[in-house]
Amino acid sequence: MSVGEMLVATVPMARTLDLEFLETTPERAVVRLPDQAAYHNHVGGPHAGAMFTLAESASGAIVIAAFGDQLQRAVPLAVKAEIGYKKLAMGVVTATATLGRPVADVVAELDAGQRPEFPVEISIQREDGAVTGEMTVVWTLRPHS
C-alpha cells in the first residue's frame, strides 16, 4: 500500500475531500484537491478549511514517507501550523510539501533520546501555477513511552 493509499484509508478527512496523492517521497509530496462544489466558499473557490486540510495532508504524507521506518518507536504529531492565503483559489488546487530538515538530522535527535521538531513547507497552487497559499507545519516525532 502506498503512503497516499494508506492515508486515504486511515484519515477520514482525506477521504471526505477526495484528496488525490500524486507523489509521495521523503523529499516531496504532492496532493490535489479536486474542484467540488460541496467544498466551495462564498466566492466559488475551495473553502479555506479545505485548503488547510489539503496542505496539512501533504505535510503528513511527506512525514510518513520520510519517517515511516521510525513508527515502531515514535509517533509523528503536528505541533503547530501557520497558513497564509495569497491569491484567490479557483478550481483544482495542488499542495506541494517539502521537508525543512534532513531526515538523518531528525533521526539522530530521536536516537539521542530527544523529541525532534522539524518544519514542513507547503505551497498551494492553482492549475495555472499561481501560488494561492503557503503553509508551514511543525511536526515532532514523539517517542513511545
Side-chain angles (χ1 to χ4, degrees):
M1 181 180 295
S2 72
V3 170
E5 291 167 336
M6 189 259 314
L7 288 171
V8 168
T10 60
V11 179
M13 281 304 295
R15 276 192 314 278
T16 297
L17 292 178
D18 295 322
L19 297 181
E20 301 167 4
F21 292 81
L22 306 178
E23 178 183 340
T24 306
T25 70
E27 293 78 35
R28 181 173 125 119
V30 180
V31 183
R32 179 171 39 220
L33 173 65
D35 187 20
Q36 302 167 85
Y39 304 114
H40 283 177
N41 58 20
H42 62 289
V43 294
H47 188 277
M51 289 193 297
F52 184 98
T53 301
L54 167 69
E56 195 276 340
S57 296
S59 78
I62 199 170
V63 168
I64 295 298
F67 301 106
D69 61 342
Q70 303 299 318
L71 296 181
Q72 293 77 22
R73 65 182 184 144
V75 62
L77 298 169
V79 174
K80 64 181 174 180
E82 183 175 347
I83 191 165
Y85 300 102
K86 307 293 183 188
K87 290 186 178 186
L88 184 62
M90 299 297 283
V92 174
V93 288
T94 302
T96 302
T98 55
L99 203 58
R101 289 185 59 201
V103 171
D105 291 355
V106 175
V107 172
E109 285 183 20
L110 190 61
D111 289 342
Q114 300 172 9
R115 183 174 168 170
E117 289 190 1
F118 51 94
V120 175
E121 304 294 334
I122 308 100
S123 174
I124 305 169
Q125 294 182 303
R126 298 186 306 224
E127 286 190 302
D128 68 2
V131 174
T132 64
E134 296 173 331
M135 184 172 180
T136 301
V137 180
V138 175
W139 287 82
T140 189
L141 295 178
R142 185 188 76 195
H144 295 304
S145 309

